Amino acid sequence: MATIRDVAKQAGVSVATVSRVINKLERVNPDTKQKVLDAIEKLNYKPNDVARSLYQRKSKMIALIVPDITNPYFPELARAVEDVANRSDYTFVLCNSDDSEQKERQYMQVLRQKQVDGFIVVTSTLAYEHIKDLNVPVVALDRIIDRKVPAVTVNNNDGAKTAVQHLLDIGCKRIAHISGPDDVDNAMQRKQGYLDVVSHYEWFEPGMVQNGDYHMDQSEQAMMKLLKAYPDIDGVFAGNDLMAVGALKALKKSGKKVPDEISVVGFDGISLGELTTPSITTVKQPIYKIGEQAARMLIDKINDPTTEQENVEYDVTFMERESTKRKEG
Amino acid sequence: MATIRDVAKQAGVSVATVSRVINKLERVNPDTKQKVLDAIEKLNYKPNDVARSLYQRKSKMIALIVPDITNPYFPELARAVEDVANRSDYTFVLCNSDDSEQKERQYMQVLRQKQVDGFIVVTSTLAYEHIKDLNVPVVALDRIIDRKVPAVTVNNNDGAKTAVQHLLDIGCKRIAHISGPDDVDNAMQRKQGYLDVVSHYEWFEPGMVQNGDYHMDQSEQAMMKLLKAYPDIDGVFAGNDLMAVGALKALKKSGKKVPDEISVVGFDGISLGELTTPSITTVKQPIYKIGEQAARMLIDKINDPTTEQENVEYDVTFMERESTKRKEG
DNA sequence: GCCTGTGATGTAACCGGTTACATGTAATAT
DNA sequence: ATATTACATGTAACCGGTTACATCACAGGC
């Protein structure tokens, strides 16, 4: 590999001049510049970014930490972040935390030693104390960490209320909820949205909320429990689409017809929800936009650390699909 | 940020001694060692990996280049690679190439300047010339680049033959194929497997192969064309599961009953295939294993560049699901 | 008492860039 | 003719690690 000193020698100039040519910051005599460019061409010189990073104390890398990229919500998010990173000449590092605080902290530690310039984090376990000493911009995504960490989220409460209200509108008389993990704020907000709408109904009982932990399998079991405890429920609001799919599986096994005997609504708007039979009515998040926004905010903050950033909350869109389309309206 | 010189000063030793303590390579007097450890503790010193990388000429990073992480085949693969990378103390960089040679080359160029230690690449456009000057280990995945680049793949031909044979076994009389892109070798192998089985049948016509480009939407259109041209086909082998889903959509719109009027088989074994109605019979690849193997091979090669590596081909597993389970066997 | 070997530690060069500061030259002002 | 200034370029320190080599103290052999 040719170094900047090789180029300097070849062009008969000093390394400073070569550096000036590659970085285009200061004026260089056109003739000299051409000599340098020729030398670069001839030696096929590519600057070593590690050396550059060392002096500049920045690496032009950002990292995204998600619980698990195989969860269908995250690939689209990752794609959005990577697209923005790439357009801004940042390298994109991906980490799977499995929702383990220990793994999250270790990733951040290790990457910080590699001078990663910023983090986008989807976490419900990390606290502000863990990130403040890292001395690096962090944007929270999908879940809020702390008032001091800017976050990009959606209006979960509104979305949940819309979903549950829709079930009522199409004639559901008893609506259950399969909730996400209690330690995830957006799961709590969705649950609260459900409660806001149904808690004053006479038929409502606390047991109509079952935890599905945002996973398909747990949700399938939760749905089974609900069917056993409340055989007459005719509507289910699942805290995310993955759990709606789990509910659908349980209902299929139990021989319940969706949507006519029981209607189902999910949350997120992952593409999987369009492909099931019946397709799943959902509250769609603008996932790609969220990722894009978070990445932009992060990069803005890296470029100018004095930027004060506010939380951004996106609105969700209700999407009616087959799982709530009853023949008798 | 404390540097190694700060630690040295604090502990009253030289930087070399501190370096010896952190790297545990040479003997250090226990008392001295303790002083250094205390200083590290006190200053909360973390070594700067960029400085280390500069001297060592390696970064402890590997990159995975995939066409698009939102394609459901890739998250599991990415997860596998990331898991291995993480266990081996490598940082994982993810790139989406959109199957563009230009993007692939640019990523590799940029990352090489960042001293990325190796690449795992899913590509059908990149050639050996493009990677040999990078002077860095590369493992090809899912698709073969060149005899000189070790690859991890599956036995596509066998899998395809098994799939088509199964359609014959359950009684299909005319079987069509929705193929992947012609420039992707595994797509060609799957098509060839189909042809190997059906081409000597009288009913076979070349028009029974339609290109679906490995995408759901194109496949839906391809299926529509097939139905129009050959209304009596009663079996479809799709080159991947995503296209099988597209075919299912088309069949649903056309009012064809799956599996009884027409049976469908896919390829890959992505989890989406279990969730459709009917669920999709498929030829399952050990996706996670493939990613793991590729990552291991890459890291082995990085650790010892003299390692000669052979291609690894995994066997596939036929998985019968609803889309081929006929009532009348 | 002198020589040699061993273990512990320090000094300084090195990795490959960037940039503050110095230097030199020519144009312009006085 | 001299001072001032702008421009072009070079020199060397710096970023924060690693490590070849030098140094030194001390033990053991003769």
Side-chain angles (χ1 to χ4, degrees):
Chain A
M1 267 300 189
T3 74
I4 196 169
R5 284 165 233 270
D6 299 330
V7 174
K9 191 173 293 178
Q10 171 77 29
V13 299
S14 74
V15 292
T17 302
V18 177
S19 182
R20 285 182 189 110
V21 171
I22 29 190
N23 295 302
K24 309 175 171 55
L25 298 173
E26 289 169 73
R27 299 194 44 69
V28 176
N29 180 297
D31 292 353
T32 316
K33 182 173 175 183
Q34 193 53 52
K35 276 192 291 179
V36 172
L37 291 176
D38 290 348
I40 287 174
E41 172 79 19
K42 179 163 175 208
L43 299 175
N44 188 30
Y45 167 72
K46 308 283 178 215
N48 179 327
D49 279 334
V50 173
R52 198 173 270 174
S53 289
L54 177 58
Y55 189 89
Q56 319 249 270
R57 295 182 172 75
K58 50 190 182 181
S59 63
K60 283 264 167 184
M61 299 198 285
I62 62 174
L64 171 67
I65 303 182
V66 297
D68 181 2
I69 190 67
T70 64
N71 176 325
Y73 178 82
F74 295 117
E76 193 176 344
L77 202 66
R79 176 72 212 231
V81 174
E82 203 266 323
D83 282 350
V84 175
N86 186 229
R87 279 201 296 273
S88 315
D89 297 316
Y90 278 79
T91 291
F92 172 73
V93 172
L94 179 70
C95 309
N96 298 102
S97 70
D98 290 320
D99 275 315
S100 143
E101 183 194 318
Q102 197 262 324
K103 276 189 94 176
E104 290 167 346
R105 292 173 68 173
Q106 185 183 325
Y107 273 123
M108 295 186 86
Q109 178 63 251
V110 168
L111 292 175
R112 199 60 193 115
Q113 287 182 225
K114 287 197 152 74
Q115 306 274 68
V116 159
D117 297 326
F119 293 90
I120 298 176
V121 192
V122 180
T123 179
S124 38
T125 54
L126 219 55
Y128 179 64
E129 300 94 75
H130 304 136
I131 63 183
K132 68 164 191 279
D133 329 323
L134 288 169
N135 230 329
V136 72
V138 175
V139 173
L141 203 150
D142 188 46
R143 312 173 186 181
I144 287 173
I145 298 180
D146 188 286
R147 259 174 306 121
K148 299 198 197 71
V149 180
V152 182
T153 54
V154 294
N155 195 325
N156 291 291
N157 190 270
D158 271 14
K161 284 197 238 175
T162 308
V164 179
Q165 189 58 51
H166 180 75
L167 289 169
L168 289 171
D169 291 348
I170 61 171
C172 292
K173 300 293 179 227
R174 304 193 79 186
I175 301 168
H177 175 51
I178 302 177
S179 62
D182 282 349
D183 57 354
V184 175
D185 57 5
N186 59 34
M188 291 304 281
Q189 290 155 10
R190 293 173 198 179
K191 187 200 281 186
Q192 191 55 50
Y194 161 81
L195 294 173
D196 290 348
V197 176
V198 305
S199 59
H200 63 277
Y201 282 95
E202 264 177 49
W203 51 257
F204 174 71
E205 296 179 32
M208 291 182 156
V209 177
Q210 282 289 325
N211 184 7
D213 222 32
Y214 271 168
H215 285 96
M216 193 186 299
D217 296 348
Q218 277 96 313
S219 171
E220 187 174 342
Q221 291 167 29
M223 188 72 236
M224 284 300 189
K225 272 193 220 158
L226 285 169
L227 285 175
K228 189 165 285 178
Y230 307 97
D232 54 348
I233 49 174
D234 56 358
V236 181
F237 168 50
N240 69 7
D241 288 340
L242 223 45
M243 295 198 297
V245 175
L248 241 43
K249 281 181 149 186
L251 291 168
K252 193 173 178 187
K253 281 187 193 158
S254 314
K256 288 271 195 180
K257 295 256 180 304
V258 180
D260 293 316
E261 292 177 63
I262 183 165
S263 295
V264 176
V265 184
F267 204 110
D268 282 354
I270 61 179
S271 52
L272 170 58
E274 297 174 67
L275 304 173
T276 53
T277 307
S279 57
I280 298 170
T281 295
T282 193
V283 178
K284 191 181 176 67
Q285 298 193 39
I287 303 180
Y288 191 91
K289 266 195 187 169
I290 292 173
E292 235 180 350
Q293 173 69 21
R296 288 236 178 79
M297 282 168 64
L298 182 66
I299 290 175
D300 286 349
K301 183 84 176 178
I302 291 169
N303 290 336
D304 177 7
T306 64
T307 318
E308 280 309 313
Q309 279 166 335
E310 316 240 307
N311 286 2
V312 175
E313 186 174 88
Y314 280 98
D315 281 331
V316 291
T317 321
F318 185 72
M319 302 234 10
E320 188 176 7
R321 298 210 190 97
E322 291 164 2
S323 67
T324 58
K325 280 219 180 97
R326 299 189 166 191
K327 276 156 204 144
E328 67 278 59
Chain B
M1 267 298 187
T3 72
I4 196 169
R5 284 165 233 270
D6 298 331
V7 174
K9 192 173 293 180
Q10 171 76 31
V13 299
S14 73
V15 293
T17 302
V18 177
S19 181
R20 285 181 189 111
V21 171
I22 31 190
N23 294 302
K24 309 175 170 56
L25 298 172
E26 289 169 72
R27 298 196 44 72
V28 176
N29 181 297
D31 293 352
T32 315
K33 182 173 173 180
Q34 194 53 52
K35 276 193 290 180
V36 172
L37 291 175
D38 290 348
I40 286 174
E41 172 79 19
K42 179 164 176 206
L43 300 175
N44 188 29
Y45 167 73
K46 308 284 178 214
N48 179 327
D49 279 334
V50 173
R52 196 172 271 175
S53 289
L54 177 59
Y55 189 89
Q56 319 251 263
R57 294 182 171 75
K58 51 189 183 184
S59 63
K60 283 263 168 184
M61 300 198 285
I62 62 174
L64 171 67
I65 302 182
V66 297
D68 182 1
I69 189 68
T70 63
N71 176 325
Y73 178 81
F74 295 117
E76 192 176 343
L77 201 66
R79 176 71 213 231
V81 174
E82 204 267 322
D83 282 349
V84 175
N86 187 229
R87 279 201 296 272
S88 316
D89 297 316
Y90 278 79
T91 291
F92 172 74
V93 172
L94 179 70
C95 309
N96 297 291
S97 70
D98 290 319
D99 274 316
S100 143
E101 183 193 318
Q102 197 263 323
K103 276 189 92 176
E104 291 167 347
R105 291 172 69 172
Q106 184 182 326
Y107 273 123
M108 295 185 86
Q109 178 62 249
V110 168
L111 293 174
R112 200 59 194 116
Q113 288 183 224
K114 286 198 152 75
Q115 305 276 66
V116 160
D117 297 327
F119 292 89
I120 298 175
V121 192
V122 180
T123 179
S124 39
T125 55
L126 219 55
Y128 178 64
E129 298 95 76
H130 304 136
I131 62 183
K132 67 164 191 279
D133 330 323
L134 288 167
N135 231 328
V136 70
V138 174
V139 174
L141 204 151
D142 188 45
R143 311 172 188 181
I144 287 172
I145 298 180
D146 189 286
R147 258 174 306 122
K148 300 199 197 70
V149 180
V152 183
T153 54
V154 294
N155 195 325
N156 291 292
N157 191 269
D158 271 14
K161 285 195 235 173
T162 308
V164 178
Q165 188 59 52
H166 180 75
L167 288 170
L168 290 170
D169 291 348
I170 62 171
C172 293
K173 299 295 177 223
R174 303 192 79 186
I175 300 168
H177 176 50
I178 303 177
S179 62
D182 282 349
D183 56 354
V184 175
D185 58 4
N186 59 35
M188 289 305 280
Q189 290 155 9
R190 293 173 197 178
K191 187 200 279 186
Q192 191 55 49
Y194 161 82
L195 293 173
D196 289 349
V197 176
V198 304
S199 59
H200 63 277
Y201 281 95
E202 265 176 48
W203 51 257
F204 173 71
E205 296 178 34
M208 289 179 158
V209 177
Q210 283 289 325
N211 184 9
D213 223 32
Y214 271 170
H215 285 96
M216 194 186 299
D217 296 347
Q218 276 97 311
S219 170
E220 188 174 341
Q221 291 168 30
M223 189 70 238
M224 283 300 189
K225 272 192 219 157
L226 285 170
L227 285 175
K228 188 165 287 178
Y230 307 96
D232 55 346
I233 50 174
D234 56 358
V236 180
F237 167 51
N240 70 6
D241 287 340
L242 222 45
M243 295 199 297
V245 174
L248 240 43
K249 280 182 150 185
L251 292 168
K252 193 175 177 185
K253 281 188 192 156
S254 315
K256 288 271 194 178
K257 294 256 180 306
V258 179
D260 293 315
E261 292 176 63
I262 181 164
S263 295
V264 176
V265 184
F267 204 111
D268 282 353
I270 61 179
S271 52
L272 171 58
E274 297 175 68
L275 304 172
T276 53
T277 309
S279 55
I280 298 169
T281 295
T282 193
V283 178
K284 192 180 176 66
Q285 298 193 39
I287 303 181
Y288 191 91
K289 265 195 188 170
I290 292 172
E292 236 181 348
Q293 173 69 21
R296 288 236 178 80
M297 282 169 65
L298 182 66
I299 290 175
D300 286 350
K301 182 84 175 180
I302 291 169
N303 290 335
D304 178 5
T306 64
T307 318
E308 281 308 313
Q309 280 167 333
E310 317 240 307
N311 287 1
V312 175
E313 184 174 89
Y314 280 98
D315 280 331
V316 292
T317 323
F318 186 72
M319 301 237 7
E320 188 176 8
R321 297 211 190 96
E322 291 162 2
S323 67
T324 58
K325 281 220 180 96
R326 298 188 166 190
K327 274 156 206 143
E328 68 277 61

